[in-house]
Every structure is written in C-alpha cells, then in structure tokens.
Amino acid sequence: MRLKLKVHHHLQVKQKTPQEAGTGKGKDEDDTSVSTPPADGMSKPTERKDSVWSIGEGAPEETEKHDDSQRSTLFVEKPQSGSVSVGGNITFIAKVEAKDLLRKPNVKWFKGKWMDLASKAGKHLQLKESFERHTKIHTFEMHIIQAKENYAGNYRCEVSYKDKFDSCSFDLEVTESSQAAPSIDIRSAFKRSGDGQDDAGELDFSGLLKRREVKQQEEEPEVDVWELLKNANPSEYEKIAFQYGITDLRGMLKRLKRMRREVKKSAAFAKGLDPAYQVDKGGKVRFMVELADPTVELKWYKNGQEIRPSAKYIFEHKGNQRILFINNCTMTDDARYYVTAGDEKCSTELFVRDPPILVTKGLEDTSTYVGERVELSCEVSEDDANVKWFKNGVELTNEPKSRYRIKVEGKKHTLIIEEAAKNDNATYSVMTTGGQSEAKLSVDLRPLKISLALEDQTVRLGQEIHLKCEISENVQGKWYKNGQLVEASDRVKLYHKGRIHRFVIASAAVDDEGEYMFVPDAYNINIPCKVHVVDPPKLHLDGLGEGNTVTVVAGSKLRLEIPITGEPTPKVMWSKGDKWITDSGRIRAETYPDSSCLVIDTAEREDSGPFRITLKNEAGEDTALINIKVVDVPDPPQAPNVTEVGEDWCVMTWEPPANDGGSPILGYFIERKKKQSSRWMRLNFELCKETTFEPKKMIEGVAYEVRVFAVNAIGISKPSMPSKSFVPLAVTSPPTLLAVDGVTDTSVTMKWRPPDHIGAAGLDGYVVEYCFEGNGFSQGISTDLSEELVEPPFNLEAERSSLKKNLIPKTDEWIVANPELTDKTKFTINGLPTGSKILVRVKAVNAAGESEPRYHPQPILVKEVIEPPKIRLPRHLKQTYTRRVGETVNLVIPFQGRPRAKVSWQKNGSPIDKNQINIRNTENDTIIFIRKAERNHSGEYNMKVEVENLEDKATIDIQIVDRPGPPEVVTIEDVWGENVNLSWKPPKDDGNAAITGYTIQKADKKSMEWFTVIEHYHRTSATINELVIGNEYYFRIFSENMCGLSEDATMTKESALIAKDGKVYKYPVYDEFDFSERPLFTQPLVNTFAVAGYNTTLNCSVRGNPKPKITWLKNKVIIMNDPRYRMFSNQGVCTLEIRKPSPYDGGTYTCRAVNALGEAEVDCKLEVKVIYHGVINPGEPFFLAGNNQLHSKDF
C-alpha cells in the first residue's frame, strides 16, 4: 500500500542513548520523515537518515551497505566511529594518497546529510590538514573540543578530485558517565498489510532496535496511545512515539488529523465511535454507536467497502445502540472503519497488534582462524519470523555483494561468513520483536612458517631477477626494496599463487641493486635477501659519425662527451699516440659516473688524428678509436685575371686556393670596387661554383678592381689580392636617320643624326663609305631594317645577318669617302660619275672602335633633280598665332624644293625690318625669330619660296597682346539702403585683345583694405549689395582680357555712405594683444628603433611667436647640406627624415628652436638595427644568412 504524505508535522523514531532515555531529554521537533513501506507489502522499511532538527542521525545499515557495495578509490584511511564523554575531546582522521594526484584533493566534512562543518569551525570544532612529502599522504583531521550531548549523530567525510569521488560515514556517541542507563520500554510494534487501499501499509520498528540491548520485553499496563497523542502537544509526538515503540507515526498522525476534523457535533449520532481501537492478533473487537433516531438505516464500511453480516462480522441492536463485533482479528483487519446514518457518518481506526517473537535458543561465542567458514545460529518462537542481525550494533543485510549471508530454515536463523577475516572480530547479535541474543566471534591468524626463504642473487645487467619464497599460509603480502614499498608495474611483476610469492624483473638495471624483503600481511615477520647487479664496461658511440669521426672548426672549443656504462663504474683513460691525456691542460679528459669528456679548448689543425679511449673495471674492458678532424676556412685564391671587357661588363678568371681548409670548396664570392674607392661591393649572393665570372652593371669609363673569396662549409676565406685595374668601354650604337641631303651631277650629300647611345668613351667622329651598284649587290632594299623593323615577329639581328650575307657587298669593295674622321653629321661625296648609282653607309668611331654601320636603304642616282617648291605650314600657324608682350616668338616653317630654293618674307606687304625680326633660311626650312615680342610686331606675314620659275606662298597672322588699361571713369550713380549703383566706361587701351570682363573691389574708408566684390563682370554698370550700414565705402574697377587684369584700377572720386537711422554707435577701443611667445615644444622627440636600409623619421611639434627657426643636430653637431637628411616644418610640426639609415646613423638627435625671445631643445636616441632573414639558398653555410637581403639594392 502507498501512503499519502500530506501531514504538517512529521516525527522520526530514533534510538536514544541510555542517558537520553534516563533524563528524558529530546531533540527539537521541526520536520521529520516517516517510514514508507514498499509497494509489494514486504516488511522492509526505509527511513530518512536525517532531519532539520537531528542532522546526522543516519541509519547505520545504510552506511554499512554503502561501504560494502562501493569500495573507496581515494581514501587510504577512513575516519572511524567513536564515543566521547560530555566535555571531552575527540579527533577523526582521514588520509588520501597523492601519488596519482596533480594537486591537493578537495575534502569536506558534514554532519548529517547537508550541514557543511567548514562554516561551523571555531572554539569547539577545528579542521586541520597536512601533507607528508616522503609518503605523499594528505592527512585531514576534524577535532571536536569539549563535546556536548547534541554533538552526537552521524557524520560524513567527502573527498573529490576532478572526476573521482569518495565518501565515508561515521558516528559520534556522546555519553554521560555519571548517570546509569535505565532499560528502555519498547511498545509492541504494529504490522499492517492491506489490499492497496489508501491507508494500507506496514509498520516497522527496526530503527527502534538499533544499538539497543533489550533482553526481555516486560509486562506493563495497557496505555491508550491515541489518548496520549490527542491530548499531547505536537512537540511531544516524537517522544511519545519513541517511548511506546510506534514506528508508523506518519499514518497515526494522519488518522489523528482526521479524528480531530470530525469532532463537530452530529445530529444523527448521539454517541459516535471512539477515535481508534486496538486489539491483539486473533482477538475480538467491539464497535458501538448510539443513534439519535433509531429508525435511521445504518451501514458499516471497511476501507470504503460495505460490511455484510457473517461469522466474522456480527451486528447487534440494543435500543438506540448499534454494535459491530469483529471476531478472530487478523492483520488484514487493521484498517479504517466508518458507519453511515443517512447523510452523516462516523469513522474510527482499528490497529491489530502482532504478538512479540521470542528468541528460544541464543547465539554462542565462537573462535576460528582467518579463512575458515563461520556459522552463528539461533532459534525463534515462530517460523519465518522477521529477525535482525547486528555486528557491533550495526545491522547486517543479506545482499548479494555483502560478505555476510543469512540463512532461514523455519525457526532457525543462521549468519554465515564464508572466509573469516581479521576484521570479523566483533560482537554479533540477533534481535526480534520480543528479545535478542549476542555472541562474540574471535578470528585469529594461523601460525606462519617459512617453507622457502629468499636467496641472495648476483645478476648481470639485462638479465632476469627472480625472487621466490613460500610460506605456510595463503595470505597476501608486500615487497620492499631498501625499505620502500614496491608496486607492480609493466617492468616489475608480482605473482601470488597459493602459498608461493614471486618477484620478477625481466631485465635487470643498475638501479635494481639493493636489499629486498617480503612481508606477509597481518604477520610481524619479513623474508629478506640481497640483489647485486654487475655490468661490463661499454662505450656508446652511436652518436658519432661514420668511422667514429668528429669534425671541429679550428679555433673553437671541442667538448666530446662519450656515454659509458658499467657496474661498478669503470676507470677511463684517454691517449693520442703514445701520449696519455691528463685531466688538465688545453687538451684534457673529464670523467663522470655515466660519461667521459674529451675537451680541447682551442682546436688547432695539428690536433687532427685518432684518440683512444679505454674503459676498465672488474667485469671487463672496452676500447675504441675516435678520429678528430679539425677543419678551417680555406686559403685565399690567387689574384683574378680580367680577360675581356665590355660596355658595362667584364670576364674574370682565377685559380682555386692551394689549401681548402680540410673541407671541400663550396663556391666563391666575388667583390668589386672603383679604383679610387675603398668600399667593396658583393656581386653574387649565390655561391659561384666555377672559377670564372662575368661582373655586370658597371659604369662605363670608370676604373675597377675585383677580388675573390673562397667558401667552404666552415666559412669564408680571406680575400684574394685585387686584380689589375680595368675600364669598361663600348663602341657606340650606329648613327641614326641616314638620309640624302642633296644630289648633283657629280656629288651626293648625306646627312644623319648622332647615335642613340654613345657611352663613356665618347665619339671621335664618323666614317662615310660608299660602293657602286652592280658589284654583287642586289636591288630591292626599300627600308632601313634597323629603324623600321621594330615590331614582332621580325628579328632585327636575323635581318641584319641576312642583309650582310646576301645584300651587302664584300668589305674590300666599299670605298672610304673621308680618310680622316669627320665630326659633323653631314658629308658630301664628290667625284662621282654622272648617272651612276651608289650605296652609302656611315659608322661612328670612338676609342673602343667602330660601331655597326648604318646603311641607306636604297641606291642613290647621281643626277641633279628639280623638285617643285612646297611650303609645309604647321597646323598651329594656319590660325592666328598669339603671344604676349615680352615673350619669344620662334617659328620654324619647313619647305621643299630643289635645287637652290629661294625664300623671301614681307609684313603687311612691306619688307621685314631685320633689325627687329631675325630671319634665318636653310635648304629645308626657314625660321622667324623675335626675342622680345612687342605689340607693333603684330601683323600679316607673307612667305614665298621660289625654285627657278616655280614658287609657293603662305600667310601667317601674328598677334601680340598685353594687359588692358583701366576703365576711364567710375561714378557712383545712386546709394539706397545697403546698395550702391556704379557705372563706368570701357578702357581706351584693350591690350590688342577683347575685354573679357571687369573686377570690382570695395574698401571701407576707415581701413582702406580692398576686398573683391565681383569678378569677371561683363557689363559697364553694377549694383553692389549687402553693404554695412554706417560704413563709408570707396570702389575701384580693373579691366580684364585674355592676358589678365589691368595693372591699375580706376577708383571712385567720391565715397558712398551707407546711412543708418537712430543713435550713432561708438565702437570701443581695445588694446592690441601681445601674441609673442618664446619657443616651447608641445610634443617631444621619442626614442626610436630603425631598420637599416628603410627610411625613418623623427617628429616633434613646437610653438612660438615670432616663428622660431628650427635647427637639427646629431651628437651636438649641426646637420647641414647632407643629402641623406631631409628637414620639414609645417604648422609647427618638425620632421627629420633619414634616408636609408645604416648603423653609424645611430646616435642622439636634437631639435633646436630659436626666436628673439629665447630657445628650446628636445632630443632622442636613434638605434639602427640590421635584420638577417636567414639562409635562402640550399647548401649555403649558416653564416651567409641574410647577405642576399642586405645587398640586394647594390645592383
């Protein structure tokens, strides 16, 4: 049956100490728990362990159950239950092993279930903790000082670490030694079972029997518990329930509550049922009510079901009395009954008591040995009775995981322990509802005999250590080495089979030597032995290179450490040849327990060679040869030779160095410098593998020297001697624009332009060569390949090669026209036969030799040809050519016409005055030049070109313009409000250009400062608006044309007064404010780190009036005319820019500001760092890292 938990006051039945029972002292009642029987009707009650007023009074059987089912994972020693007298002290200790913990575990102490005792620490409660490093054990202590009675109860200690958790419960009993412990009267317990009705359940009194010693239930007068509960204060409920053995207090209180609700006066019943009835099992009970109206129909109910007359239920009527008899009461009759009369009903409760079960045959004291089977038996008065077993007052349960098994055979009850252990020593008791019996169980150890003792062993390193012993008992034990506990691991194997114990280490190590001991558990005896591990000496040369060769750089320190093993520690000896190496000097030997070191402080090439190391001990000897190889940088190569020189390049060769330093040559670095300079420049950042190199990007005409460095894995050699100085030179490019300038019957005049590239060697002159057509020269060359074949897919060099091979005559057929070089770009070839055709080429000559020739694309006919005159007037001259006064006029007009064209000029139909205008004529163009143009140079210029009877003409209009004059008259036409109307006349002189507009300005009569009002105004009258009332204004006007404003302006003679109404305002007079201030830096300089090769700036800000003069200093020296520094000053912000700083640019920089009132300075420190980015090229030595980045801009 299930119970509904709707009561307001709950009481918990608990065990009292004898002192509490004698003094009648109880605990505060506030909220309790009630036993709730299981649904299957079995008599196995459960109780809450605590309540608000009795924290810690847990059920002992629950603690035992927890300890048996869940073994501790963190505790190595748990706090044990204890007893203390009132006013005494007691300490509880818990220990946690920290072997596998990275930090201290978290420990909490509780009383009962929820009260954390950390907040209660004080005078009577102290919590302490400590840690022993040797054993790695955390110890936690709880000290209770001057204990009081209410300190008694159940306590709990919890420990947690990450995901691990462990808990342990224990009890504290507080006693008073001065008072005797009277016997406790235990009321008969009730058991009731039902058929699933509302109030069905099972009453349990097991909690009442815990830690009790009740020898025999004594007869006492019957007491009506219902009357006591009805008349008692709720705070006395628990005391009454404990005194009279009521365990189902919750059900009784629930019924008592109903009875109290039914106290109201009934109209149908003159006398109702009593609140409750009590009867022994098998007895008879009588229910009686008295009706006010005997005619009313009456019905009886049990748990809501109507009761019919039968042999068990007998109904009787006596006047107004109605009586119900229930015969032979059983536990099923324990229920709620009520009777109805019309619409009213009267109810009551019937409690059926079970007679007590007596112990007919008690337990007997027993002695046994560890591991033996133990049976403790007793007999009771009834079959299959409910019997409780206890060990030292703690209830034992018959669970599968428990070590204890309870066997029931009718009236006989047996407690079985399959294998007795030492901790089974205890007082065992059995308890029933009517009595109890107890006996002592004594478990002793069997006498232990050593059948096979451990033997001392001597083993070689790496062999198996096998220790074996045999004892007379099958017990566990522990192994110790040098007094320290040895745990089983992957390396150490511990075996136990029956009485034999074995200790095995598969591979012995030096640390395994020592004294071993086996100690059986629970016996004060040990079995010792000694293990001695020996090992022949051995050299471990695995870390050395091939052939045990060690390479060291000359000048560096060598510390060669050779690991050695051997037991006992071997003696080490070093030698080179016949010479022994001692432990002092430049070359020395150092010996340690597990290694030996050969030390060479400063390695030299002579130190190369084999070194012998020898190990000796009593187990043997080992020796080895170690080759020491001392390597160094190579010797410098010989001075390089420059075999070929070009425009900006040369070819150089050299021989490898005589000595490579003991390491193969990886390559070479090449440097060059100008002959007059001392700064060498690295040319290659990837090692040159060959002994030839082609330096490039040199300056033509400058003398250079080169040198070579050899590189091996150790480093860079010293530089070679510089080569002989050389100067890069190159021939010029071919002349350009070779063309025919003129042809007569006996001569051909050629002209050309200088080469595009001349070079440092300069240009000495030109050579003109010609040959006659027909001497193996093919026709059809129409263009100059070198000038026109510049677009893909043509190949200029291929075309030139083809031209030379197929079209150009043999070298000896060319005739030199000028035996001596000509420095002009025009040459006439004379003495040619009329009507012949010639080919012409021109070469440029300098100190490096002749350039490639420039060929005329077509054969030239030696015959004079008449060409009609044609003036090629430029497009910009076909319109009016305009210039300002004072500017230069230089017009070039090309024309054509042969032979001997004649050019003539006229201005406005009259000849030109050559004193004012210069005219220069050539065969192809004419130039008109005016150095400073004036307005009278404007006009129409006519040009005429004549060739014999033919002519061509052209006309050019030239206009020279100037600024206009000012307007003639400016008058004030009208003044009204804030407006003034002005009018004026255009200027007489428009500057030989149209007037494009006017600019009007105004000025206050007081200040006479002019302000522009209107610009680019086209009319000759204007209205000026938004003038200030009360001010008097003057106005002036500038004329404007394409050259700009007129130099002068015309001002109004009168002023315009903007009148105002009312009182005239008198402006206050203010003193002029003095803005002068000595220099003051508002933002100082800041210490700066710069990266070499990257521009950096230093900034500060200054103020002062008059404006201060800024001067920058480096290390107190003024910076002047240095192109590496740039200085700026804008709006008071001063900036010093340092272009591509180097480390020597670091130092203290100062900014100084000076004006007439004083000066100020600020300074800062600049540090320039060089950043190396690491090795870029594979195989490059480590010390070359960063060279590519540092010198990449030198080219």
Side-chain angles (χ1 to χ4, degrees):
M1 284 188 174
R2 295 172 296 175
L3 292 177
K4 294 183 180 179
L5 305 177
K6 296 183 180 179
V7 291
H8 296 283
H9 298 280
H10 298 266
L11 298 180
Q12 182 181 13
V13 179
K14 300 184 186 292
Q15 174 188 359
K16 290 187 178 180
T17 62
Q19 289 79 359
E20 290 173 343
T23 58
K25 293 182 180 179
K27 302 197 176 176
D28 298 336
E29 294 93 352
D30 185 10
D31 186 20
T32 64
S33 61
V34 183
S35 299
T36 304
D40 57 0
M42 297 297 292
S43 60
K44 194 171 186 179
T46 59
E47 286 186 351
R48 259 177 46 180
K49 290 186 179 182
D50 52 42
S51 64
V52 173
W53 51 270
S54 59
I55 296 175
E57 291 289 336
E61 66 272 14
E62 293 295 330
T63 304
E64 185 67 19
K65 176 181 175 181
H66 176 78
D67 292 342
D68 292 338
S69 60
Q70 297 181 4
R71 298 301 180 186
S72 171
T73 59
L74 292 175
F75 282 119
V76 295
E77 181 179 329
K78 299 180 180 180
Q80 302 297 324
S81 300
S83 176
V84 65
S85 300
V86 174
N89 300 337
I90 189 171
T91 301
F92 296 94
I93 300 176
K95 294 186 178 181
V96 179
E97 186 175 10
K99 179 179 179 182
D100 299 327
L101 308 183
L102 300 180
R103 57 180 175 82
K104 186 184 74 173
N106 185 23
V107 173
K108 293 184 178 180
W109 298 85
F110 296 91
K111 182 179 181 186
K113 192 172 183 180
W114 307 112
M115 180 182 287
D116 189 350
L117 297 180
S119 61
K120 306 296 182 181
K123 178 180 179 182
H124 297 281
L125 176 66
Q126 295 181 2
L127 303 179
K128 297 182 180 181
E129 60 183 52
S130 61
F131 177 69
E132 187 175 350
R133 297 185 179 275
H134 181 67
T135 59
K136 296 185 178 179
I137 296 294
H138 287 280
T139 302
F140 301 91
E141 299 179 358
M142 180 177 73
H143 299 276
I144 296 179
I145 304 171
Q146 297 179 2
K148 299 180 180 180
E149 289 185 1
N150 59 352
Y151 289 2
N154 179 259
Y155 290 79
R156 189 171 75 258
C157 179
E158 291 184 357
V159 58
S160 61
Y161 175 79
K162 293 186 177 179
D163 57 343
K164 297 181 179 181
F165 176 82
D166 201 355
S167 176
C168 176
S169 297
F170 56 96
D171 295 318
L172 172 62
E173 183 177 359
V174 181
T175 62
E176 290 186 4
S177 59
S178 60
Q179 294 182 357
S183 59
I184 303 298
D185 177 28
I186 303 175
R187 301 295 298 175
S188 299
F190 298 96
K191 288 188 179 179
R192 89 185 154 196
S193 57
D195 52 358
Q197 299 301 322
D198 183 51
D199 294 326
E202 175 181 292
L203 293 179
D204 180 37
F205 53 89
S206 59
L208 200 62
L209 302 178
K210 293 175 185 177
R211 301 185 185 178
R212 303 270 168 193
E213 294 184 1
V214 181
K215 295 183 179 179
Q216 186 66 34
Q217 183 177 0
E218 299 180 0
E219 294 292 335
E220 287 189 359
E222 289 293 331
V223 177
D224 192 345
V225 181
W226 286 109
E227 293 298 330
L228 291 176
L229 290 175
K230 284 192 296 181
N231 300 324
N233 190 295
S235 62
E236 300 292 330
Y237 285 170
E238 183 190 13
K239 182 177 179 181
I240 296 173
F242 179 82
Q243 184 176 358
Y244 294 101
I246 298 174
T247 56
D248 190 14
L249 186 59
R250 182 173 59 180
M252 295 185 68
L253 291 176
K254 189 174 182 181
R255 298 182 183 183
L256 181 62
K257 183 178 179 182
R258 291 176 186 166
M259 296 186 329
R260 287 183 175 176
R261 289 200 301 266
E262 296 172 0
V263 172
K264 63 182 181 178
K265 188 69 175 178
S266 174
F269 296 98
K271 181 180 180 182
L273 296 172
D274 291 339
Y277 294 86
Q278 183 175 300
V279 65
D280 291 333
K281 182 178 179 181
K284 179 179 178 181
V285 66
R286 174 178 177 270
F287 295 152
M288 188 272 291
V289 295
E290 185 175 347
L291 299 176
D293 183 4
T295 61
V296 176
E297 182 181 1
L298 197 71
K299 291 184 180 181
W300 294 87
Y301 294 89
K302 171 187 175 183
N303 287 337
Q305 295 183 356
E306 186 178 355
I307 301 174
R308 301 293 182 181
S310 64
K312 185 176 183 65
Y313 301 103
I314 299 173
F315 298 94
E316 183 177 330
H317 294 200
K318 290 182 180 181
N320 290 346
Q321 295 180 353
R322 300 293 185 265
I323 303 171
L324 169 65
F325 292 95
I326 303 176
N327 298 320
N328 193 19
C329 291
T330 63
M331 299 306 297
T332 59
D333 296 324
D334 188 303
R336 180 171 180 259
Y337 294 82
Y338 63 90
V339 59
T340 61
D343 295 334
E344 295 189 19
K345 73 176 181 178
C346 180
S347 63
T348 187
E349 295 286 342
L350 175 61
F351 288 91
V352 181
R353 294 189 301 179
D354 199 4
I357 298 173
L358 303 177
V359 179
T360 59
K361 182 179 179 181
L363 301 175
E364 296 180 357
D365 293 342
T366 305
S367 297
T368 186
Y369 289 112
V370 173
E372 296 293 335
R373 176 185 172 95
V374 178
E375 293 186 1
L376 300 176
S377 299
C378 71
E379 293 182 3
V380 296
S381 58
E382 292 187 10
D383 292 341
D384 300 327
N386 187 14
V387 175
K388 301 288 184 179
W389 288 88
F390 297 88
K391 174 186 177 181
N392 290 336
V394 179
E395 183 180 356
L396 302 177
T397 58
N398 192 18
E399 294 186 357
K401 295 182 180 180
S402 176
R403 295 183 61 250
Y404 305 99
R405 187 163 58 88
I406 300 173
K407 181 179 178 182
V408 179
E409 295 176 345
K411 298 180 181 180
K412 183 177 181 181
H413 293 255
T414 305
L415 175 66
I416 301 174
I417 305 174
E418 293 294 342
E419 293 184 2
K422 192 70 176 176
N423 57 1
D424 290 329
N425 279 311
T427 299
Y428 292 83
S429 60
V430 62
M431 187 173 293
T432 65
T433 58
Q436 73 170 14
S437 177
E438 67 177 24
K440 292 185 179 180
L441 174 63
S442 176
V443 182
D444 296 326
L445 294 173
R446 293 180 184 272
L448 183 68
K449 296 181 180 180
I450 301 175
S451 303
L452 178 64
L454 297 176
E455 296 180 356
D456 294 343
Q457 293 187 10
T458 300
V459 297
R460 294 179 67 99
L461 188 68
Q463 292 183 348
E464 183 183 66
I465 299 176
H466 190 175
L467 304 179
K468 179 181 178 182
C469 68
E470 183 178 354
I471 56 180
S472 59
E473 297 298 328
N474 182 11
V475 295
Q476 299 288 338
K478 294 181 175 60
W479 290 87
Y480 293 87
K481 174 191 172 184
N482 296 330
Q484 298 294 325
L485 179 65
V486 178
E487 300 286 350
S489 64
D490 294 340
R491 186 170 175 273
V492 178
K493 306 296 183 182
L494 303 180
Y495 300 97
H496 173 210
K497 184 176 181 181
R499 297 177 298 171
I500 299 176
H501 296 264
R502 293 188 297 127
F503 179 98
V504 178
I505 298 178
S507 179
V510 175
D511 295 339
D512 294 330
E513 182 173 341
E515 294 184 359
Y516 289 79
M517 180 172 58
F518 176 74
V519 179
D521 289 347
Y523 287 93
N524 187 17
I525 189 173
N526 61 76
I527 308 173
C529 74
K530 292 183 180 180
V531 176
H532 182 52
V533 180
V534 296
D535 183 28
K538 182 174 179 58
L539 291 166
H540 299 273
L541 306 177
D542 298 338
L544 300 182
E546 184 178 357
N548 294 341
T549 300
V550 178
T551 303
V552 60
V553 179
S556 62
K557 182 177 181 178
L558 170 65
R559 184 179 181 85
L560 177 61
E561 183 174 355
I562 305 298
I564 62 174
T565 56
E567 183 65 28
T569 304
K571 180 180 180 182
V572 184
M573 294 174 288
W574 286 86
S575 64
K576 182 182 181 184
D578 298 334
K579 184 178 179 181
W580 294 99
I581 297 176
T582 63
D583 57 356
S584 62
R586 186 177 65 86
I587 302 177
R588 61 185 181 276
E590 298 177 358
T591 302
Y592 301 96
D594 58 349
S595 64
S596 180
C597 292
L598 176 64
V599 180
I600 303 177
D601 283 338
T602 305
E604 301 175 356
R605 291 189 181 182
E606 293 75 13
D607 296 333
S608 299
F611 286 74
R612 179 179 296 277
I613 179 174
T614 303
L615 304 181
K616 289 183 180 180
N617 71 354
E618 61 185 25
E621 179 180 343
D622 192 13
T623 184
L625 284 177
I626 300 175
N627 294 318
I628 304 297
K629 182 179 179 182
V630 181
V631 295
D632 200 356
V633 297
D635 292 342
Q638 298 294 326
N641 296 321
V642 179
T643 59
E644 189 176 353
V645 176
E647 175 183 2
D648 63 346
W649 54 272
C650 72
V651 176
M652 56 183 289
T653 61
W654 63 90
E655 294 296 330
N659 188 350
D660 61 1
S663 180
I665 299 295
L666 300 178
Y668 301 90
F669 283 129
I670 295 91
E671 291 184 349
R672 77 172 183 215
K673 75 174 183 68
K674 298 176 183 177
K675 185 177 181 181
Q676 296 82 4
S677 173
S678 60
R679 179 176 174 267
W680 289 91
M681 180 188 301
R682 177 70 57 83
L683 299 183
N684 63 316
F685 299 106
E686 294 183 0
L687 290 174
C688 177
K689 308 296 183 180
E690 307 295 335
T691 57
T692 180
F693 188 75
E694 184 177 342
K696 296 181 179 180
K697 297 183 181 180
M698 293 184 286
I699 301 175
E700 188 178 358
V702 178
Y704 286 91
E705 292 178 351
V706 292
R707 67 182 183 183
V708 182
F709 295 83
V711 181
N712 63 5
I714 309 306
I716 305 176
S717 70
K718 294 181 179 180
S720 67
M721 295 298 294
S723 66
K724 295 181 180 179
S725 61
F726 61 93
V727 179
L729 293 174
V731 297
T732 66
S733 61
T736 59
L737 301 177
L738 177 61
V740 178
D741 188 56
V743 180
T744 66
D745 292 339
T746 59
S747 65
V748 173
T749 302
M750 304 298 295
K751 63 179 181 179
W752 60 90
R753 292 285 177 89
D756 292 335
H757 177 70
I758 295 177
L763 179 63
D764 295 339
Y766 302 93
V767 174
V768 182
E769 296 179 340
Y770 70 94
C771 69
F772 292 98
E773 185 185 23
N775 294 336
F777 192 85
S778 301
Q779 301 291 336
I781 302 177
S782 60
T783 58
D784 186 355
L785 295 174
S786 64
E787 293 181 5
E788 296 188 17
L789 297 181
V790 295
E791 295 279 341
F794 297 98
N795 189 321
L796 179 61
E797 297 299 329
E799 292 294 337
R800 283 181 175 176
S801 176
S802 176
L803 179 66
K804 291 180 181 180
K805 185 180 296 183
N806 301 321
L807 304 179
I808 299 175
K810 298 179 182 180
T811 305
D812 55 1
E813 295 178 354
W814 288 96
I815 302 171
V816 178
N818 56 331
E820 296 183 358
L821 297 178
T822 177
D823 57 354
K824 300 184 180 300
T825 59
K826 186 175 182 181
F827 186 77
T828 301
I829 305 174
N830 297 313
L832 300 174
T834 302
S836 62
K837 291 184 177 181
I838 64 173
L839 292 171
V840 180
R841 69 181 184 184
V842 179
K843 300 179 183 177
V845 181
N846 66 359
E850 296 180 349
S851 70
E852 291 289 328
R854 174 67 67 186
Y855 294 91
H856 190 271
Q858 296 177 349
I860 302 171
L861 178 63
V862 184
K863 183 178 180 180
E864 190 172 32
V865 179
I866 297 177
E867 182 179 359
K870 177 66 175 178
I871 300 174
R872 300 186 179 278
L873 192 65
R875 180 176 298 178
H876 68 280
L877 296 180
K878 292 180 180 180
Q879 301 175 354
T880 301
Y881 182 77
T882 303
R883 282 291 181 270
R884 295 185 181 183
V885 172
E887 294 182 346
T888 300
V889 177
N890 186 13
L891 304 178
V892 179
I893 299 96
F895 62 87
Q896 64 185 25
R898 297 231 193 302
R900 296 174 293 282
K902 181 180 178 183
V903 181
S904 60
W905 285 90
Q906 288 185 346
K907 176 187 176 184
N908 298 329
S910 301
I912 292 177
D913 185 0
K914 294 186 178 180
N915 294 328
Q916 296 183 358
I917 302 174
N918 296 323
I919 302 295
R920 183 176 66 84
N921 299 322
T922 65
E923 295 181 357
N924 297 316
D925 56 29
T926 179
I927 300 174
I928 179 170
F929 178 76
I930 303 175
R931 186 175 300 278
K932 297 181 81 174
E934 298 179 0
R935 291 174 61 177
N936 58 5
H937 291 150
S938 301
E940 185 179 280
Y941 290 78
N942 299 316
M943 174 185 175
K944 182 171 68 174
V945 179
E946 297 177 333
V947 176
E948 295 185 355
N949 296 327
L950 303 174
E951 66 178 23
D952 192 13
K953 295 182 179 180
T955 301
I956 302 173
D957 289 333
I958 298 177
Q959 182 182 8
I960 307 301
V961 297
D962 197 2
R963 291 186 180 185
E968 290 190 18
V969 179
V970 178
T971 58
I972 298 176
E973 297 293 339
D974 192 8
V975 178
W976 73 96
E978 300 175 358
N979 308 312
V980 174
N981 183 261
L982 304 177
S983 64
W984 61 91
K985 293 183 178 180
K988 292 183 179 180
D989 182 11
D990 60 1
N992 203 21
I995 299 297
T996 58
Y998 300 92
T999 297
I1000 304 172
Q1001 294 182 343
K1002 68 179 180 179
D1004 190 355
K1005 184 177 180 181
K1006 296 178 182 178
S1007 62
M1008 288 309 292
E1009 293 184 8
W1010 293 97
F1011 299 94
T1012 300
V1013 179
I1014 301 176
E1015 292 183 309
H1016 313 304
Y1017 191 74
H1018 298 285
R1019 300 181 182 180
T1020 57
S1021 63
T1023 299
I1024 310 303
N1025 303 321
E1026 298 180 358
L1027 298 175
V1028 179
I1029 296 177
N1031 289 1
E1032 192 171 356
Y1033 292 93
Y1034 285 96
F1035 299 91
R1036 66 181 183 184
I1037 301 176
F1038 293 87
S1039 302
E1040 183 179 6
N1041 64 3
M1042 62 182 297
C1043 294
L1045 297 177
S1046 60
E1047 294 183 359
D1048 299 325
T1050 303
M1051 189 176 70
T1052 57
K1053 294 182 180 180
E1054 302 86 7
S1055 62
L1057 176 62
I1058 308 303
K1060 61 180 178 179
D1061 298 332
K1063 183 178 180 180
V1064 178
Y1065 177 75
K1066 183 178 180 181
Y1067 292 93
V1069 179
Y1070 297 97
D1071 295 334
E1072 185 176 0
F1073 184 81
D1074 184 12
F1075 289 91
S1076 60
E1077 181 184 14
R1078 64 176 296 166
L1080 174 65
F1081 283 92
T1082 59
Q1083 178 63 38
L1085 294 173
V1086 179
N1087 294 338
T1088 306
F1089 291 88
V1091 179
Y1094 293 84
N1095 292 1
T1096 187
T1097 59
L1098 304 177
N1099 301 281
C1100 62
S1101 60
V1102 66
R1103 71 184 185 194
N1105 191 19
K1107 182 178 180 181
K1109 179 181 178 182
I1110 304 301
T1111 305
W1112 288 89
L1113 301 91
K1114 175 188 175 185
N1115 297 329
K1116 304 303 181 181
V1117 178
I1118 297 178
I1119 301 173
M1120 296 180 62
N1121 300 326
D1122 193 334
R1124 293 183 300 108
Y1125 298 92
R1126 297 174 62 189
M1127 306 172 193
F1128 307 92
S1129 180
N1130 184 18
Q1131 300 295 328
V1133 178
C1134 305
T1135 303
L1136 174 65
E1137 181 182 4
I1138 306 174
R1139 303 180 62 190
K1140 298 181 180 179
S1142 59
Y1144 65 81
D1145 286 324
T1148 301
Y1149 287 79
T1150 305
C1151 181
R1152 178 185 296 166
V1154 181
N1155 68 2
L1157 299 179
E1159 69 178 41
E1161 288 184 357
V1162 291
D1163 55 18
C1164 70
K1165 292 184 179 180
L1166 174 66
E1167 182 178 348
V1168 182
K1169 295 186 176 180
V1170 179
I1171 297 180
Y1172 296 90
H1173 299 283
V1175 179
I1176 294 179
N1177 302 310
E1180 194 172 36
F1182 64 93
F1183 51 83
L1184 302 178
N1187 288 349
N1188 289 353
Q1189 288 82 354
L1190 294 178
H1191 300 283
S1192 60
K1193 296 188 178 180
D1194 291 342
F1195 294 92

